[in-house]
Amino acid sequence: MTPLERTLAKALTEVVIRLDLSDDDAITPEATMQVIEPVAVLLQDLSEQDRQTLADLINKFAHEETDPERHLTAWEAPETLGLLA
């Protein structure tokens, strides 16, 4: 994995965490889905192997999280993003 790929995967994980944990008054669940859904659709264009690699990397980031809420949200991110078959 290149530094670019790792950084983009980490950035994607951070976006999912922040959207999911944001106050509903700040970002509504509907607005969150409007951001996440097109990303999930784009990720479906990846090969199964690339989706699994990205899911594994996101899970690695989840293990690095010390905050329980962020850990759980990161752990669920591959499913949220439709990476898991």
Side-chain angles (χ1 to χ4, degrees):
M1 174 119 343
T2 68
L4 174 62
E5 292 166 329
R6 180 177 166 68
T7 299
L8 289 173
K10 181 67 173 172
L12 179 59
T13 304
E14 188 63 33
V15 167
V16 170
I17 290 170
R18 295 207 179 232
L19 285 172
D20 189 62
L21 296 181
S22 68
D23 187 340
D24 286 352
D25 292 335
I27 301 174
T28 67
E30 294 81 16
T32 295
M33 290 312 297
Q34 287 177 348
V35 172
I36 296 294
E37 284 179 357
V39 172
V41 169
L42 286 171
L43 293 174
Q44 291 307 301
D45 289 340
L46 294 173
S47 69
E48 184 176 339
Q49 181 180 354
D50 285 345
R51 286 194 310 272
Q52 185 61 55
T53 298
L54 180 56
D56 292 345
L57 190 53
I58 291 170
N59 285 334
K60 180 179 182 249
F61 297 144
H63 284 295
E64 294 171 0
E65 286 293 340
T66 56
D67 178 272
E69 275 189 304
R70 287 179 57 87
H71 171 82
L72 179 59
T73 301
W75 185 255
E76 294 172 343
E79 185 175 343
T80 300
L81 293 168
L83 296 172
L84 306 176

